Amino acid sequence: MFRPRLRIPRAGGLAQRLVAPAAAPARSIHQIPHNVTKKFSPEEGVPGLLTADGFDIAWTQHMTLMMEKLNALTAGTDYEQMEIQQIVKQTARQAHEASIFNHASMAFNNHLFFEGMRSVEFPEGATEPPASNMSEKLQTELKKNFSSVETLRREFIATALAMFGPGFIWLVKNARSNEYRILTTYLAGSPLTAAHWRRQPVDLNSHGSDLSDEIVGSWLGRTQAATGATSAGRFTKDSTGPGGIEVIPLLCLNTWQHVWLRDYGLGAGGLGGKRQFVENWWHVIDWQRVEELAELSGRNNFK
């Protein structure tokens, strides 16, 4: 039997071997979009709304966590190469993929929230809010549905204060008409058309432990058929559930506490800080972006 010869390396060679070469950073399939940091400086935050620390929590840290978790959850799956928006649509109806949906949807929603704002100047000592960049065309369209832009503003504030729990408030447009509406989604809920589904003619809670495979299979089959599933159990790109309406998300308000609590606190009665956050948000809305999305339906908003 041959035994390896003992070799004692020189000190210099040993030191070189002990220092591991720097590993090339692994490329993340899903990455944080850069258009937000091009618009808002991490050193300044969102002027008039979020400080640098608030921006760091609500955007940098939060989106980094979402992307890291999403990459880990989708590694080696079909979702690895999909656009974020498509992942939201495909996983919204799959209970066993709820974690993938939650992280993808949170990233998509938060990106649209920040994408819907603009960087404006707030002169020191100014008593008036900055001028809105809403066009007369969009103003006319909104007045048709909300009677006035001021009514729309108050509705956003009232809805935000009435939400018992974190979520998002959306301004959406009916894809088949010029109707505009406000809707809410809780937690990581999505306004995307293909993410809406629910058809449960059988109350599963009332069957208890005697629920048979036949009942479960029948329910799942009816649910999938009603919501546009293919024979393989997947769903078409933009299939809509029964009674669903195809809408285009135009504007998003993020009401999760980690977004506003750092800079605004709870305030009087526990809602004062939230109210001030929403009122300040209204003054930094990028209405030109809203108008652009209203005219370009189906555009992928996660770059």
Side-chain angles (χ1 to χ4, degrees):
M1 182 175 67
F2 295 96
R3 295 182 178 178
R5 180 181 297 176
L6 180 63
R7 299 179 62 186
I8 302 177
R10 291 174 297 177
L14 179 60
Q16 292 175 358
R17 288 180 175 84
L18 289 177
V19 179
R27 179 182 178 275
S28 298
I29 300 300
H30 303 294
Q31 298 179 328
I32 300 175
H34 299 296
N35 60 334
V36 170
T37 49
K38 288 180 180 178
K39 185 187 303 185
F40 304 114
S41 166
E43 291 75 27
E44 295 181 359
V46 181
L49 184 70
L50 297 175
T51 64
D53 287 343
F55 180 78
D56 179 60
I57 294 172
W59 175 255
T60 307
Q61 293 187 40
H62 184 73
M63 292 297 284
T64 298
L65 176 62
M66 292 302 103
M67 291 300 97
E68 288 178 351
K69 292 288 291 184
L70 186 61
N71 283 323
L73 291 167
T74 59
T77 71
D78 293 340
Y79 301 123
E80 192 174 34
Q81 301 293 336
M82 280 188 187
E83 296 288 345
I84 297 290
Q85 184 178 133
Q86 191 59 28
I87 294 177
V88 174
K89 294 178 179 180
Q90 289 285 355
T91 58
R93 315 174 192 203
Q94 305 289 347
H96 64 286
E97 294 172 335
S99 186
I100 295 177
F101 167 80
N102 286 334
H103 289 89
S105 188
M106 278 295 295
F108 179 88
N109 295 356
N110 198 45
H111 176 241
L112 207 149
F113 165 62
F114 277 95
E115 192 181 39
M117 297 185 289
R118 61 194 174 110
S119 182
V120 296
E121 292 186 6
F122 285 77
E124 187 175 352
T127 58
E128 295 292 329
S132 169
N133 68 341
M134 182 186 299
S135 68
E136 291 186 9
K137 177 182 178 181
L138 180 59
Q139 190 173 144
T140 300
E141 292 296 316
L142 293 176
K143 285 181 178 179
K144 292 178 182 178
N145 295 269
F146 300 100
S147 75
S148 71
V149 175
E150 175 62 17
T151 300
L152 175 62
R153 185 188 75 87
R154 293 182 180 183
E155 199 164 326
F156 259 108
I157 295 174
T159 303
L161 298 181
M163 289 183 72
F164 191 75
F168 300 87
I169 306 173
W170 305 85
L171 174 66
V172 299
K173 178 179 179 290
N174 189 324
R176 303 184 185 279
S177 70
N178 287 325
E179 292 182 307
Y180 293 79
R181 293 288 185 271
I182 284 182
L183 65 83
T184 59
T185 59
Y186 280 82
L187 300 178
S190 175
L192 297 176
T193 300
H196 297 170
W197 81 292
R198 182 64 64 192
R199 185 174 185 268
Q200 186 172 315
V202 177
D203 183 1
L204 301 183
N205 293 318
S206 66
H207 285 269
S209 59
D210 64 343
L211 194 63
S212 66
D213 291 339
E214 181 180 356
I215 294 176
V216 173
S218 175
W219 173 74
L220 288 174
R222 286 194 301 271
T223 300
Q224 289 183 336
T227 53
T230 64
S231 58
R234 289 294 178 186
F235 298 84
T236 57
K237 181 179 179 181
D238 293 302
S239 54
T240 307
I245 298 176
E246 184 180 355
V247 298
I248 305 169
L250 307 177
L251 182 64
C252 175
L253 170 60
N254 190 338
T255 67
W256 278 72
Q257 285 188 336
H258 70 264
V259 177
W260 55 269
L261 194 59
R262 168 65 178 79
D263 288 333
Y264 294 88
L266 293 176
L271 291 176
K274 188 177 185 181
R275 172 186 285 276
Q276 190 61 55
F277 162 72
V278 179
E279 291 181 349
N280 289 357
W281 165 78
W282 182 264
H283 298 305
V284 298
I285 293 175
D286 186 356
W287 292 108
Q288 291 182 358
R289 178 60 176 159
V290 172
E291 184 173 347
E292 179 184 337
L293 291 174
E295 295 178 347
L296 300 177
S297 89
R299 177 170 180 170
N300 184 358
N301 302 316
F302 201 108
K303 304 176 182 65

